[in-house]
């Protein structure tokens, strides 16, 4: 499978409008692009949403994968400033016109899109990566994602994102559908997972509920047990969110 974005990834950059060379600094890689393409081919979204465009590599993958009849919305507050419109120019150069970009911060644009009644079938999150930020993003994404829709997170192995992956794993209306690319998962995180599995095995006679009371949940259910141990992690929304007002599960 070859996608137009892969030409830029193979050359590790692109020619700018003034003819000078620009080297990619901040994009998904080919394996992650193929994963997004697979998620889209399998789930056939009509409307997609993306947080974080930068040089436009993931946006190109999504625009090509959803096809010319798809409708892709991108949020990036720094596209024309920090990124000098590289993402938008790359999308246009590749012939995509199935996208709209809003130069707004996701934390303000998402509640606006939600209150306008927008719904999406596929969302890719790759913006600001603190825990509180991605939690706020997911709060609104959950409101806008259609049942059957998919949300995927880049850099899911970062500590802040990892906490959110664990939190979403508990939702009764989401199921993990894949987590790829362990080359960005730090040695420390891999080692932690091995240690957790060992401690978990030692305490196995207690059973899950007692173990959860005695040990931290991150030990009882390792990332590998939850299948969230890759760098891009995707969940499918399986039902409407009917959690009660005081719902909480340890994560
Ligand atoms: C890692 S880059 C995105 C790379 C891109 N997804 C790709 O793979 O080609 C992160 C992007 O998030 C954007 N960003 C930072 N803060 C943001 C915010 N509050 N809302 C939306 N996007 C934000 C940055 O401008 C940057 O373009």
């Amino acid at each position: 499978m070859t996608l137009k974005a892969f030409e830029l990834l193979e050359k590790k950059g692109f020619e700018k409008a003034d003819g000078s060379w620009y080297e990619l600094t901040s994009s998904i890689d080919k394996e992650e692009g193929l994963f997004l393409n697979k998620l889209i081919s399998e789930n056939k979204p009509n409307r997609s949403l993306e947080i974080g465009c930068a040089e436009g590599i993931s946006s190109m993958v999504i625009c090509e994968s959803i096809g010319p009849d798809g409708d892709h919305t991108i949020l990036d507050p720094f596209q024309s400033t920090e990124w000098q419109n590289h993402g938008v120019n790359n999308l246009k150069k590749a012939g995509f016109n199935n996208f709209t970009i809003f130069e707004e911060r996701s934390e303000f644009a998402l509640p606006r899109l939600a209150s306008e009644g927008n719904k999406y079938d596929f969302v890719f999150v790759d913006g600001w990566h603190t825990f509180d930020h991605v939690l706020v993003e997911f709060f609104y994404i959950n409101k806008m994602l259609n049942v059957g829709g998919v949300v995927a997170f880049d850099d899911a192995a970062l500590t802040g994102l990892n906490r959110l992956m664990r939190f979403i794993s508990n939702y009764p209306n989401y199921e993990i559908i894949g987590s790829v690319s362990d080359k960005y998962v730090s040695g420390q995180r891999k080692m932690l997972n091995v240690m957790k599995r060992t401690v978990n095995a030692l305490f196995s006679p207690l059973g899950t509920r007692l173990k959860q009371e005695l040990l931290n949940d991150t030990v009882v259910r390792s990332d590998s047990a939850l299948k969230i141990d890759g760098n891009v992690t995707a969940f499918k929304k399986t039902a409407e969110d009917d959690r009660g007002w005081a719902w909480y599960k340890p994560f």
Side-chain angles (χ1 to χ4, degrees):
M1 158 66 66
T2 295
L3 295 167
K4 290 181 179 179
F6 293 171
E7 283 169 37
L8 278 60
L9 284 176
E10 266 147 36
K11 291 191 280 185
K12 299 189 170 72
F14 52 87
E15 208 168 272
K16 293 199 280 184
D18 65 4
S20 61
W21 188 251
Y22 177 94
E23 234 163 76
L24 292 174
T25 60
S26 184
S27 75
I28 56 164
D29 67 14
K30 195 171 168 185
E31 184 183 359
E32 295 167 339
L34 283 171
F35 182 56
L36 295 184
N37 173 263
K38 179 172 168 278
L39 291 172
I40 291 173
S41 320
E42 287 173 359
N43 293 283
K44 302 189 178 22
N46 293 317
R47 293 196 81 205
S48 52
L49 173 69
E50 178 179 18
I51 299 168
C53 180
E55 297 136 343
I57 301 299
S58 55
S59 306
M60 287 175 72
V61 168
I62 297 169
C63 282
E64 185 163 357
S65 305
I66 61 170
D69 295 332
D71 172 13
H72 186 47
T73 298
I74 307 169
L75 305 176
D76 195 326
F78 310 119
Q79 177 57 203
S80 62
T81 53
E82 196 176 321
W83 300 101
Q84 299 164 52
N85 279 320
H86 292 321
V88 170
N89 290 339
N90 281 332
L91 282 159
K92 286 186 183 160
K93 243 194 284 177
F96 299 117
N97 49 26
N98 53 351
F99 71 94
T100 308
I101 183 162
F102 295 110
E103 283 207 53
E104 289 176 52
R105 290 174 185 265
S106 59
E107 63 270 36
F108 303 123
L110 290 171
R112 175 182 65 75
L113 292 170
S115 65
E116 288 169 3
N118 288 287
K119 293 280 179 187
Y120 301 95
D121 311 298
F122 180 80
V123 184
F124 182 53
V125 181
D126 188 14
W128 193 255
H129 285 341
T130 59
F131 172 69
D132 48 348
H133 203 94
V134 286
L135 178 63
V136 166
E137 290 176 335
F138 179 69
F139 180 84
Y140 290 106
I141 290 166
N142 180 37
K143 295 193 180 299
M144 292 191 279
L145 195 62
N146 286 318
V147 172
V150 167
V151 55
F153 297 86
D154 193 31
D155 297 313
L158 289 179
T159 308
L161 267 291
N162 175 261
R163 300 308 298 165
L164 181 67
M165 298 305 98
R166 298 188 62 87
F167 188 59
I168 299 174
S169 300
N170 280 332
Y171 274 55
N173 63 327
Y174 281 86
E175 72 180 18
I176 178 88
I177 55 169
S179 193
V180 297
S181 181
D182 87 335
K183 63 178 173 273
Y184 297 112
V185 181
S186 68
Q188 198 185 35
R189 181 158 293 286
K190 286 180 186 165
M191 173 77 83
L192 256 176
N193 259 312
V194 173
M195 287 161 69
K196 287 174 184 181
R197 281 204 300 272
T198 311
V199 175
N200 196 23
L202 280 173
F203 284 85
S204 60
L206 291 179
T208 303
R209 205 184 61 75
L210 281 179
K211 272 193 299 182
Q212 271 175 327
E213 281 192 22
L214 191 72
L215 305 168
N216 186 301
D217 183 68
T218 65
V219 178
V220 179
R221 299 179 310 149
S222 65
D223 295 342
S224 43
L226 291 172
K227 302 192 177 109
I228 55 164
D229 47 356
N231 192 56
V232 178
T233 294
F235 295 90
K236 179 176 275 211
K237 184 170 179 176
T238 53
E240 291 299 351
D241 186 357
D242 63 355
R243 290 168 305 141
W245 67 277
W247 182 91
Y248 176 79
K249 283 192 172 191
F251 61 101

